[in-house]
Amino acid sequence: MNRRAKHKIILIAWIITFFLMGSGVWGFQAGHLMVIGFFMASLVLYGLAAFLMRCPKCRMPVLLRPRKVLGMELYTWSILAPEKCRHCGEILH
Ligand SMILES: [Zn+2]
């Protein structure tokens, strides 16, 4: 199983957890705060993963996606890891 497939499974598991938890706790008094807290914790985890997952060859974060917009180099973050490094083309496993 490659990295992209693992990411899809993690993403699907996260969405299911989010909805299950959301529908389970929404009725409580602080239910929406718990959902927001879960969302914030997920963002922090994603941020950590985004900085820690680096290409073995060029050390650039693999989730950072360079784009050319109107001649300017812009970077966006993607949720799923690419199959190849977008900087040097190294195959990621
Ligand atoms: Zn690379």
Side-chain angles (χ1 to χ4, degrees):
M1 199 190 299
N2 66 22
R3 191 192 281 256
R4 200 176 172 84
K6 276 187 215 151
H7 278 213
K8 270 186 196 154
I9 290 167
I10 292 170
L11 191 66
I12 290 164
W14 182 85
I15 291 168
I16 292 168
T17 311
F18 188 71
F19 278 103
L20 281 181
M21 206 200 71
S23 60
V25 300
W26 196 259
F28 299 154
Q29 203 164 22
H32 57 285
L33 288 179
M34 282 167 76
V35 173
I36 291 167
F38 177 75
F39 195 72
M40 296 302 255
S42 305
L43 271 184
V44 170
L45 281 180
Y46 170 77
L48 275 178
F51 273 100
L52 292 176
M53 280 194 309
R54 284 167 188 269
C55 169
K57 204 168 157 193
C58 67
R59 313 303 302 161
M60 288 296 280
V62 297
L63 295 179
L64 199 60
R65 184 199 295 252
R67 287 177 200 274
K68 279 249 188 251
V69 181
L70 301 169
M72 284 186 302
E73 189 111 315
L74 291 180
Y75 288 93
T76 54
W77 294 93
S78 54
I79 293 173
L80 290 172
E83 269 144 39
K84 280 184 192 173
C85 174
R86 291 193 179 88
H87 298 273
C88 66
E90 176 85 349
I91 307 272
L92 304 167
H93 297 289

